[in-house]
Amino acid sequence: GGNIWRGRAGKGMDRTTADHMGMLATVINALALSDAINSMGGSARVQTAIEMRQIAEPYIRGKAVRHLEKGRVVIFACGTGNPYFTTDTATALRAAEMDAELILLAKNVDGVYDDDPKTNPNAKMIDKLPYMEFINKELHAMDTTAVTLCMDNNIPILAFGLSEKDSIMRAVKGEKMGTLIC
């Protein structure tokens, strides 16, 4: 009981518990997104890395591929199902498994900058960035494990701003925007 909330050395919540809570939060978002797509006439399925059959399918690669072949949107939730792995890493893993051509990484800023644009008004957005440069400069738009997995599988990442009008549609249509990490 009590140890869970104190975590290691009595400081904060246990990391594993916090990560599991985060995974469950992704299910809530996935269900909301699925409902929005379905209510607009699309067809979406949610697959989760942690089984919860009453509300979503378990992640099964072959089933996800069949959904995609049928024109359905597949939304992956619960990350990898394991603590200590970020949703960025899960995204890169699922992209590799699905033979994705590109990862769309919607963030709070409109791309990757050479410095923090919130604290440095002279920070410049980078249009194109090699994987190794991203890793070597220790940039934080995506975790290094995820970027390395993308590099190993030759999956480019387009980092762009979620708050911009129609940004997801513009990214899907291939409009030049954000930062391409490749």
Side-chain angles (χ1 to χ4, degrees):
N3 272 351
I4 290 175
W5 295 103
R6 285 195 306 273
R8 293 188 184 162
K11 295 180 181 172
M13 182 181 291
D14 177 71
R15 169 71 187 267
T16 300
T17 301
D19 284 358
H20 283 134
M21 291 169 66
M23 288 178 226
L24 293 174
T26 68
V27 177
I28 294 168
N29 293 335
L31 292 171
L33 180 58
S34 174
D35 184 70
I37 291 167
N38 290 328
S39 70
M40 294 185 325
S43 181
R45 301 292 187 274
V46 175
Q47 289 195 346
T48 60
I50 297 172
E51 283 196 37
M52 47 188 81
R53 291 180 186 268
Q54 291 83 348
I55 59 172
E57 298 175 2
Y59 169 68
I60 300 170
R61 183 189 177 278
K63 197 165 187 176
V65 169
R66 282 193 296 286
H67 284 315
L68 293 171
E69 289 170 350
K70 291 179 180 182
R72 297 178 183 136
V73 173
V74 181
I75 304 164
F76 302 108
C78 289
T80 66
N82 300 293
Y84 295 93
F85 290 90
T86 67
T87 53
D88 287 348
T89 299
T91 299
L93 174 64
R94 296 295 181 245
E97 290 175 315
M98 296 294 115
D99 295 319
E101 296 175 15
L102 175 72
I103 290 177
L104 299 178
L105 182 66
K107 291 289 191 176
N108 293 331
V109 293
D110 59 351
V112 178
Y113 284 77
D114 61 0
D115 198 7
D116 186 349
K118 292 178 182 167
T119 58
N120 179 358
N122 297 317
K124 295 195 182 348
M125 188 169 76
I126 304 165
D127 292 331
K128 192 172 182 181
L129 188 62
Y131 299 113
M132 284 310 299
E133 189 175 332
F134 181 95
I135 293 165
N136 291 337
K137 287 186 174 183
E138 298 180 6
L139 300 172
H140 299 288
M142 190 176 209
D143 77 66
T144 18
T145 304
V147 174
T148 301
L149 189 54
C150 287
M151 179 176 66
D152 290 348
N153 289 281
N154 215 15
I155 303 168
I157 306 154
L158 178 63
F160 65 97
L162 181 59
S163 62
E164 296 177 39
K165 183 170 173 39
D166 299 324
S167 62
I168 294 174
M169 286 303 298
R170 291 176 30 228
V172 168
K173 290 178 180 178
E175 185 177 314
K176 187 172 175 10
M177 62 189 300
T179 301
L180 185 64
I181 304 166
C182 57

